[in-house]
Structures are given as C-alpha cells and as structure tokens.
Amino acid sequence: RECSGYPAYLDARLLYRLECLRRHFCKPVHITSGLRCRSYNAALPGSSKSSAHMLGRAADVYISGVKPSQIVSYWKSRDYGFAYSGTPNMGNAAHVEVSADDF
C-alpha cells in the first residue's frame, strides 16, 4: 500500500534507543515494520487501531542470532518503554516502542 503525504515523523527517542540496542548486541537491527499510515496499519491483521507505529514511536525489529525475548528483556531492563514478542504474524521480530509521556 502506498501512503503519500503521510504527516508523521519518527520519534528521536526511538531512534536513539534502537542505536543503543544495536550497540548492546553488537549486531545490525533490522526493522521489519516501522512508521505506518492509517490505511496500511488497518490492513495488517491484529494491528491496533491506535498503534504507536502510526505515531513514529514503535518498530518491529529483528536481530540475527538474538531471540526476540532477549530484545524485549533488554528494552524493558533499560526502562525504554513497552515491548513484546511472540504474537501471531511477528515471526522472529520483537515490538519495541517509546511512550508518549517519556521525556
């Protein structure tokens, strides 16, 4: 799906924390799903209607050789925000996000 003119930006805190994740595991972080427009988000099975992906505050990520549960554990141990893995359609990815009130 194409979403032209979508007026959203990636949250700088998410980008910084993804870089910290990369440095912690010393491996590239592959983003399997990042910023989404409303129509694309709605087309994804199981996606929340208020997904943080639409606000540039969430990403689904994969790191080769690292279990999704390890990504979630690291994210939560650093108090970076909400994270989970193991849901249908996510495969070996983990969902990570920063909260709106995390300043």
Side-chain angles (χ1 to χ4, degrees):
R1 291 192 187 262
E2 182 178 328
C3 298
S4 59
Y6 188 63
Y9 300 93
L10 292 176
D11 190 305
R13 296 166 302 151
L14 176 64
L15 296 176
Y16 174 77
R17 291 169 182 177
L18 289 173
E19 173 60 14
C20 292
L21 183 67
R22 184 193 69 79
R23 288 181 184 211
H24 174 76
F25 288 107
C26 299
K27 294 183 174 197
V29 174
H30 302 276
I31 298 173
T32 61
S33 185
L35 181 63
R36 302 176 188 160
C37 68
R38 291 188 196 288
S39 63
Y40 180 70
N41 189 71
L44 296 174
S47 184
S48 167
K49 292 181 181 183
S50 60
S51 174
H53 284 276
M54 296 185 299
L55 302 171
R57 293 193 328 250
D60 297 337
V61 299
Y62 166 78
I63 302 174
S64 180
V66 177
K67 294 178 184 176
S69 60
Q70 292 174 281
I71 296 170
V72 170
S73 291
Y74 172 77
W75 199 265
K76 289 181 175 182
S77 74
R78 305 291 297 189
D79 201 25
Y80 283 168
F82 183 63
Y84 64 87
S85 64
T87 59
N89 301 321
M90 284 190 63
N92 288 330
H95 173 91
V96 295
E97 69 179 75
V98 295
S99 64
D101 59 350
D102 178 28
F103 293 101

